[in-house]
Amino acid sequence: MAAESKRTIPSKGKTRVKRVLAWTAAGLAALNVGYLGLAKAHVEAPRYLNMLKDPYRNMTLEASAEKIKDWSEARDYMIRHLRFSKGNNNMPEDVHQTRKAVCYGAMFMAKKLLEDNPNYKVTAVEFKSSKNKFFHSIALVKDQRTGKYGSLGINAFDCIKPTYNTPQEVYSKVHRAMLGLIGKPVAEN
């Protein structure tokens, strides 16, 4: 009887590996995106599995900029290649090499990636809170073909597809994504 009560549970093989990868990606998503929470991040895990692959890792900044042809490719670069890190990495060359930036450095990187593309006009935008305790920067992107506005930035919430009619609509969306910590834009270049 004792021998019969021991049952072995067969390994699920590839399914188990996929589940482990999905939870790993969910953890990366929660770290990268911040306040989303692990439950929602697990739902979005397949999207973040691609973060593990970085096609720009062994390229120079110039080669990466040449490869990027439109807003969606620039967004993929920002999400896959860059990580938020406190420090003074603001120059695009340093940001590309270290793969780390603050929002200000990511703003300059977005400008660098799309500066040679005539279909997009990129403007640097800085926000600050009413009490000057919190600052944030994004790159406002205008699609010259459609006249619509979007943005690029250090995190997924800053990368807004150019579908809005005015910059104020984009600013409002960024304001909500940052939980109301940022105020109105204070500078545009």
Side-chain angles (χ1 to χ4, degrees):
M1 256 344 231
E4 291 178 20
S5 65
K6 289 185 178 178
R7 293 189 309 172
T8 59
I9 300 173
S11 173
K12 302 219 181 206
K14 291 181 182 179
T15 305
R16 183 177 183 146
V17 171
K18 286 180 183 177
R19 192 176 305 129
V20 169
L21 284 175
W23 278 106
T24 303
L28 288 173
L31 289 174
N32 187 40
V33 180
Y35 59 84
L36 266 183
L38 192 56
K40 185 171 182 187
H42 178 65
V43 172
E44 296 182 358
R47 177 175 151 220
Y48 287 96
L49 280 173
N50 291 331
M51 285 175 50
L52 301 174
K53 302 173 187 173
D54 183 4
Y56 307 102
R57 182 177 210 125
N58 297 323
M59 293 180 159
T60 63
L61 175 60
E62 291 76 22
S64 297
E66 285 178 15
K67 184 178 179 180
I68 293 170
K69 306 257 187 279
D70 62 1
W71 177 89
S72 63
E73 290 177 3
R75 185 206 72 219
D76 287 345
Y77 176 94
M78 303 296 278
I79 292 175
R80 288 183 183 182
H81 188 72
L82 299 183
R83 300 290 175 265
F84 179 81
S85 175
K86 292 183 179 179
N88 293 324
N89 283 347
N90 291 329
M91 300 308 297
E93 294 79 15
D94 295 336
V95 169
H96 179 77
Q97 189 174 26
T98 62
R99 301 176 66 205
K100 296 176 182 176
V102 293
C103 55
Y104 198 68
M107 172 187 66
F108 285 128
M109 179 57 78
K111 283 188 75 155
K112 178 75 173 171
L113 293 175
L114 292 176
E115 73 183 353
D116 294 332
N117 191 329
N119 294 327
Y120 297 97
K121 180 183 176 198
V122 182
T123 306
V125 179
E126 297 177 42
F127 298 89
K128 73 176 178 181
S129 67
S130 58
K131 296 179 183 175
N132 295 330
K133 291 184 178 181
F134 187 81
F135 296 88
H136 190 59
S137 303
I138 61 166
L140 180 69
V141 179
K142 180 179 181 184
D143 188 335
Q144 300 288 65
R145 298 167 294 184
T146 62
K148 302 287 184 175
Y149 292 89
S151 66
L152 288 169
I154 189 65
N155 59 46
F157 298 117
D158 292 338
C159 297
I160 300 168
K161 189 172 183 173
T163 56
Y164 294 93
N165 294 322
T166 65
Q168 287 71 26
E169 291 177 280
V170 176
Y171 301 155
S172 174
K173 189 159 174 89
V174 170
H175 178 76
R176 282 194 309 272
M178 296 299 291
L179 299 174
L181 293 174
I182 59 173
K184 295 180 180 180
V186 292
E188 291 184 9
N189 298 340

